Amino acid sequence: MTHKDVERTDEQGYGPAPWWADLGAWGALVLIVVGGLGAAWVFFRLPGTLDELWTGYYQAAKVIAIGMVIAGTALMGRRRAGAEGAEDVEGAEAVGEADHPERG
C-alpha cells in the first residue's frame, strides 16, 4: 500500500450524537417546561396517566434533568466564549502599548 492509498481523516470515529445534543439553550428551556407539564399531568391524574404514579414522575424528572444539563452547558459555553473575547481585547491592548510606547 502506498502513501496515496491511505486516506487519513481527523475524525475520532465517535458514534452518532444523542437526540438532545444540539438543542441549545432554547431547546433546554423547552425540555424543562415539557417536563414540568408532564409532572403536572401526572399530579392531576389527567387522562393517560399510568396507574403507578412514580413512573410518570420519573419520566418527567428525566426530561427536566436533561434540559437542565443542556441549559447549564449552553450557558457555560457562552460564558467561556465571552471570557475568551475579553482576553483577546486585553491582549490586543497590551500589544498596541508595546508597539507604540509614545501613545501611552
Side-chain angles (χ1 to χ4, degrees), residues 18-89:
W19 59 267
W20 44 265
D22 294 326
L23 291 180
W26 288 108
L29 182 64
V30 169
L31 281 178
I32 293 169
V33 169
V34 167
L37 290 174
W41 190 279
V42 172
F43 179 77
F44 291 117
R45 296 184 180 149
L46 295 174
T49 303
L50 300 173
D51 291 334
E52 297 181 11
L53 296 179
W54 66 269
T55 305
Y57 287 127
Y58 176 72
Q59 291 172 349
K62 285 191 329 186
V63 173
I64 292 171
I66 291 171
M68 292 178 74
V69 168
I70 295 170
T73 304
L75 295 176
M76 294 261 314
R78 287 184 185 177
R79 183 176 181 195
R80 186 170 293 142
E84 289 175 358
E87 289 175 1
D88 292 342
V89 170

